Amino acid sequence: MIAQRLRDTRGRVRPYLVLALGIALIAAVVLPVIALGSSRVPQPVAFNHLKHTQDLGLGCEFCHPYARTRAHSGLPDVTTCSMCHTSPQGTSAEAARVTELITAGDLLRFNKLFRMPDHVFYTHRRHVAIAELSCETCHGDIAHTERPPVRALVKVDMDFCLDCHRKQGATLDCNACHR
Amino acid sequence: MTRWGMVIDLDRCTGCAACEVACKSENNIATVPPHQAEMGRVMSWMRVLAHTVGDFPDTHLEFYPRPCMHCDNPPCIKVCPVRATYIDPEGIVGQIYPRCIGCRYCANACPFTVKYFNWYGPEWSDSERQHLNPDVSPRTKGVIEKCSFCHHRLQRAREQARAENRDVREEDYQPACAEICPTRAIVFGDLDNPTHHVAELKEDPRAMRIMEDLGTQPKVYYLRARR
C-alpha cells in the first residue's frame, strides 16, 4: 500500500513523499519524548495554597506535619482534607469536586514535586528546626500559589545546596550529603 | 580529631558470617548470577575469609572478617582521576557513586581487594525490592562500590546529636556488622577518643594490622594471640 504510493505512475520513487513520511515518523517518536521530558507533576485536585495558608491562616505543619521533626515533611491525604471538606466549602467548582471525591472514598494521593535523587541525604529537621531556615529559601513562594505548580518553583541542585552551605559555613564534605 | 576505626578480635570470631549477611542487607548489595560469580564478580563489602593453618591432620581454621580497611594513607584515592573516592575529615574513605566513572584504577590499587565493580546494574526480585534500605542508594552499572563503615548511620547520628546539642557518642553510630556480631568480636568507634573501646583495644598486645608493612595505615585492627 504505502510502498505503492511512494512511487509515481511511472514507478519512480517520489522523493517528497518519502521525506514527508520520514519527518512524520521522527515527529511521532520525538514529540512524546519532549513532552515527557518536561515532566509535569499531575495532582488529583487543583489545591490552592493561597486560600488555605493566607485566607484561612493554616500553618504549613497542619498539612506537612513532619517538617520540623523528620527528614521528609510529608504530604497530606484525605484524612487532613476531610476535616473540612466533608461538607461544602466556599463556592468554587473545585471545592465542590473535593467534597465529591472525598464522599466517593477517593484517597487524594498527591504527588511529590521536589525530589532528591536516592544518592543524596537531605533532611528537613536539620534545615527547618536546627538551622531555622524558612520554607521559601528552598521552595519559593509556594504559599501564594493558587494552583499546584507543575514543576518545582526553585531548582534545587547541588550548586544550590553548596552555595548556601558555603555562605553559612555548613559542611562541604561529599560524604555528608551523599550516600 | 575523630578517626573512625574498627577492632576485630579473631580469638572471639567463630566465622558465623552474620556480619556478611547484615552488611549485604543493610547496604543493598546486589547478588550476582552464578556465571558472574564464577568470574569472581561476587560483591561482599564484608567478607569472612577462612584460612587453614597447620599440616593435616593437625589443622584448624582461622577466620578473618575483612571490611574496607579505611586506610589513613589510602592507595585507592591517589589513582582516582575524578576524586570520586577520597578520605573524609573523620577518616572514612568515601566512594561518591554519581561521580565514579568506573575506570577501576582504585580496585587495582587496593592491596586488600575490597573495592567491587558493578559489571551489570543490580537486578532485584519483587520481594528484594521491598526490603531495600532507603538510606543507602543502590549502585548502578559501571561504578565501584565498597564498605562505607555504614556512614549513612553516621549522617543520622550527627543530626540527632546536633538536635540534642552534644557530640556523637559511641553507641549512636555502629555499623551493621559490629551491631550484629553475636560474640562482640567486632568493635567500632573513634580510635582517637579514649572513652571509646577501640582506643584501648588497639593498644592491646595482641593487636596487629594486615599488610602493615605497605604503609597504608589501615584503621581496621585485628586481635590475635601469637601462636
Side-chain angles (χ1 to χ4, degrees), chain A residues 43-49 52 94-95 97-98 110 146-148:
Chain A
Q43 304 289 2
V45 296
F47 179 74
N48 186 329
H49 269 91
H52 293 84
E94 195 62 13
R97 200 165 78 85
V98 174
F110 291 98
E146 294 182 63
R147 326 202 79 250

Side-chain angles (χ1 to χ4, degrees), chain B residues 13-26 46-48 65 176-183 186:
Chain B
C13 176
T14 62
C16 73
C19 51
E20 246 186 73
V21 178
C23 175
K24 275 197 190 247
S25 82
E26 175 77 13
M46 171 57 109
R47 186 94 202 246
V48 182
C177 55
E179 191 178 66
I180 203 82
C181 182
T183 60
I186 304 178

Side-chain angles (χ1 to χ4, degrees), chain A residues 69-71 118-121 123-126 130 173-179, chain B residues 86 88-89 92 94 96-98 134-135 137-138 151 155 158-160 162-163:
Chain A
T69 50
R70 296 198 194 158
D118 54 13
H119 58 77
V120 173
F121 170 70
T123 100
H124 275 88
R125 177 161 78 148
R126 191 72 182 249
I130 299 175
D173 177 31
C174 320
N175 253 354
C177 299
H178 288 280
R179 58 187 185 186
Chain B
Y86 79 112
D88 84 8
I92 294 176
I96 308 301
Y97 309 124
D135 288 346
S137 62
H151 95 275
Q155 291 174 333
R158 278 205 195 110
E159 179 173 308
Q160 189 58 32
R162 183 73 178 85

Side-chain angles (χ1 to χ4, degrees), chain A residues 10 23-24 27 35 66 92 99 123 138:
Chain A
R10 268 171 286 169
I23 291 173
Y66 313 117
S92 73
T99 316
T123 100
C138 304

Side-chain angles (χ1 to χ4, degrees), chain B residues 31-43 47 119-120:
Chain B
T31 317
V32 303
H35 67 282
Q36 294 289 315
E38 271 165 30
M39 288 189 261
R41 295 176 178 178
V42 173
M43 294 186 281
R47 186 94 202 246
W119 291 90
Y120 293 91

Side-chain angles (χ1 to χ4, degrees), chain B residues 6 52 153 177-178 191 201 217:
Chain B
M6 189 178 272
T52 319
R153 292 187 174 201
C177 55
L191 296 169
L201 286 172
Q217 305 287 344

